[in-house]
Amino acid sequence: MSLTSLDVTGFYALLRREVLRFVRRPRNTFVPPFITNVLYFSVFGVILGERIDQIAGVPYILFILPGLIVLGAVSNAFENASFSIFHGRWNRYIEEALTSPLSYTSMVGAYVLSSATRGILVGVLVALIGVFFTAVGVAQPFYLVAFMLVITLLFAGLGVIGGLWADDFDDLTMMNQFILRPLVFFGGVFYSLNEIPEMFRQASLLNPMIYMVNGVRYGFLGVTEVDPNLSLGVLSALTFVVVAVNVALFRRGYGLTD
Amino acid sequence: MQSAIEIRDLTKSYGDVRALDGVDLDIPEGSFFGLLGPNGAGKTTFINILVGLVRKSGGEARVFGHDVEADYREARDCIGLAPQEFNVDRFFPIREVLEHKAGYHGISQADAKERADEVLKRVGIYDKRDTRFDWLSGGMKRRFMLARALITDPDLLILDEPTAGVDVQLRHELWETITDLNDRGTTILLTTHYIEEAERLCDEVAILDSGRVLEVASPDELMDRGTDDIVVQLRDPPTAVPDFAADDDRVDAVELDGSRLVVTAQQGGLVAPDVVQALDRDGHEIVDLEISRTSLEEVFVEMTRQGEGRATAEVQQ
């Protein structure tokens, strides 16, 4: 069998396995973000939102919708990749793939793409919940699709690094609580950059989440506080670097081999 | 004949510990090869280097001519591995686990389904095909490990303690399956703690100790190097017996206990007729004779004990 046909079949087999893993467990993968986002929209959008004036020319509930989609998409993309790889290492069944003739690029590709798929599906789920609470359109479809693809791929790639780095389940929780959550909450999901002091505004610009949230917001609402083209370019480059690091780590056997 | 496995000066270090210390080994294609050694000898490290779960520190390792690092994909495609530890995907029923494994080796989904059913039938757990691994009994888990190793129809089957913890009947069934595969041309590399298993199944064995190969030979050759006991029961306790050790340098010791005479000798089967003739000549009446051949286990224990001695001496130096 040629390595090319092996690559295609092998990559598809691992991708399929990874997608089936989360699709068959909706209670663990889709129900939690559903409930969390119903609560977010109810509390922040409806109860608090009615007491807040428009932000950036749109009602508050509409302003936070893209941010909540980003929050759901990136955290699920990250969690999927980190959990799947770490759980496979912990129970050693990742060796089924590692001892196969799959190339390291195919392995990384399957983990990243399947995790990005879960991120996008959760993003769509959050959008549907949002539609239930408020009317929303898509102002810039290209940017919406492009940003969603790039950010879920980026966080899936970061999740691969997390899954390889973690030594126990507490490390996974720690990454989510102490790295991902602060980045998201200070990433302009719930507030506008124009409404915070200049010093904090400048500091916020160092947070990559700002560019993701604003990119998706631009896609939905056509409003943004940062240049969408620059954001898309930088995030795409970052994604490329992170995935290249993933492949290098697999090739080196980091966290995978003795 | 091409070597299925070709190893040159293979080393693996974990800090100051040398798990493998300059291993040289050739395992011929189509052979049934045993890797014997005490715990910590380096057997699993050796296997894991071949399949890419351990990175070698030095030397060369090739599988059917493919370097295990430079041509890792070709090398791994030849190998089916049944490891000692269970490392099975717990999320899916066992048939799907097999289908996934086949897929990673480039086997199409339709073929993978057929093969999964075929190997599950071969190892006798087809009726458990929709069960998850965790719900199988210990013996079924061992059978499944073999099924997973076979799903890709490998040229080289590596079995790391395949019968550990299984009952006698299942052990014999597994032996039968493995022997059948070997008869059909699959090269088998077996590690086992059951020396009887190696004695019965292997064409050749390597004895590994402290990361070094002490010996490579067939089980018969190894057993020939040990000493056998010729136990002769005489009618009456003799006052004296011929000095066999003086007459035959194959005889190591002679021990008389009442009417029971024990002659310890190399190649006991060849020495026994001489012992019988000499006793007969001296007028002793023999009522029973038994030759107790040295076992591979005894040779193994003796060799690894010597290995321990060598290692200790080196540390002291």
Side-chain angles (χ1 to χ4, degrees), chain A residues 140-154:
Chain A
Q140 299 284 348
F142 167 77
Y143 284 97
L144 178 60
V145 171
F147 271 102
M148 284 301 288
L149 275 177
V150 168
I151 64 176
T152 50
L153 288 170
L154 172 60

Side-chain angles (χ1 to χ4, degrees), chain A residues 1 3 7 9-10 14 16-17 24-25 87 92-93 95-96 98-101 103-104 251 257-258, chain B residues 12 52-53 55 72-74 76-77 85 87-89 91 96-97 100-101 103 105-106 109 148:
Chain A
M1 181 178 299
L3 289 181
D7 259 335
T9 315
L14 185 56
R16 186 171 174 275
R17 186 258 166 214
R24 287 193 190 164
R25 277 161 189 77
H87 195 261
R92 299 185 54 182
Y93 62 78
E95 293 173 4
E96 290 182 348
L98 291 178
T99 58
S100 78
S103 69
Y104 297 121
R251 187 165 284 133
T257 59
D258 289 333
Chain B
K12 175 63 189 177
L53 295 176
R55 301 288 165 122
Y72 71 96
R73 302 182 63 193
E74 290 87 347
R76 290 176 199 173
D77 202 25
E85 303 286 336
N87 61 351
V88 178
D89 190 342
F91 279 104
E96 277 190 76
V97 174
H100 294 155
K101 178 65 178 164
H105 282 252
Q109 225 176 314
R148 195 184 60 181

